[in-house]
């Protein structure tokens, strides 16, 4: 936890509240998948290996930045409304803003909060995956002109991952290990 300010996410978010989080943490870098070359086996392998690391190292908290393409927030306002209404980090862990250019979810127009399906569809697939595992987000996005993205701090407490989801992730790991095994 003492290395949190030096993490990639620590450049953009004040993570001082997370210094008190009990247990080991891992920062997950951004997954980059070409939408025209989606290889589900590669994505499954990444999840399997991440599961292996979490289990082997007794990781209790995963965190990182989840990106939205581009720096215009207009296409994502419905998503921001959903994130604000359902997925904000607990106050005790919530990262504070430190970046000079942010967009607070509360600054989105009220009409952007009403359509769940539209908002969920506008939410990046990887972020939806983290949220389905019990994840949560900061109350703002950072505008990152260097990578031409908006990103939101994302955290997943391993203990909060639903048991069915943990079982699925371990199944992916077992499948990956079986494919890698050389017949004797």
């Amino acid at each position: 936890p003492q290395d949190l300010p030096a993490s990639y996410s620590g450049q953009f978010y004040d993570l001082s509240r997370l210094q008190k989080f009990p247990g080991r943490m891992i920062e997950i870098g951004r997954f980059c998948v070409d939408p025209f070359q989606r290889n589900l086996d590669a994505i499954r392998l990444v999840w399997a290996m991440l599961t292996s690391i979490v289990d082997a190292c007794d990781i209790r908290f995963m965190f990182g930045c989840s990106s939205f393409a581009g720096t215009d927030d207009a296409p994502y306002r419905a998503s921001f409304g959903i994130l604000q209404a359902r997925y904000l980090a607990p106050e005790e862990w919530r990262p504070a803003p430190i970046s000079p250019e942010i967009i607070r979810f509360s600054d989105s127009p009220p009409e952007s909060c009403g359509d769940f399906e539209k908002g969920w569809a506008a939410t990046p697939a990887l972020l939806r995956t983290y949220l389905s595992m019990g994840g949560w987000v900061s109350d703002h996005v950072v505008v990152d002109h260097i990578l031409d993205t908006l990103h939101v701090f994302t955290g997943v407490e391993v203990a909060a991952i639903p048991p069915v989801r943990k079982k699925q992730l371990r199944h992916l790991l077992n499948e990956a290990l079986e494919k890698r095994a050389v017949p004797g």
Side-chain angles (χ1 to χ4, degrees), residues 37-59:
Q37 298 295 320
R38 290 196 95 155
N39 181 332
L40 293 179
D41 284 340
I43 294 169
R44 286 186 188 110
L45 183 59
V46 169
W47 280 111
M49 295 315 298
L50 184 56
T51 300
S52 174
I53 293 167
V54 166
D55 286 347
C57 298
D58 193 30
I59 301 297

Side-chain angles (χ1 to χ4, degrees), residues 95-178:
I98 59 171
S99 286
E101 193 171 354
I102 67 165
I103 301 165
R104 290 191 179 277
F105 295 148
S106 58
D107 293 342
S108 291
E111 68 273 7
S112 68
C113 299
D115 189 347
F116 180 85
E117 288 184 27
K118 179 181 176 186
W120 196 244
T123 303
L126 183 59
L127 179 54
R128 289 194 312 257
T129 299
Y130 291 134
L131 297 175
S132 74
M133 292 192 300
W136 43 255
V137 298
S138 54
D139 62 359
H140 63 284
V141 294
V142 169
V143 180
D144 186 338
H145 291 288
I146 294 171
L147 294 179
D148 191 32
T149 63
L150 301 171
H151 58 77
V152 61
F153 180 86
T154 308
V156 178
E157 296 176 55
V158 174
I161 299 173
V164 170
R165 186 70 173 134
K166 284 182 182 178
K167 185 177 178 179
Q168 291 169 337
L169 291 167
R170 289 196 177 93
H171 178 74
L172 288 176
L173 176 58
N174 291 334
E175 277 185 345
L177 293 173
E178 286 173 10

Side-chain angles (χ1 to χ4, degrees), residues 9 26-31 47 50 54 62-65 126 130:
S9 300
I26 187 171
E27 183 172 29
I28 301 169
R30 297 183 193 189
F31 283 53
W47 280 111
L50 184 56
V54 166
M62 301 180 292
F63 70 96
C65 301
L126 183 59
Y130 291 134

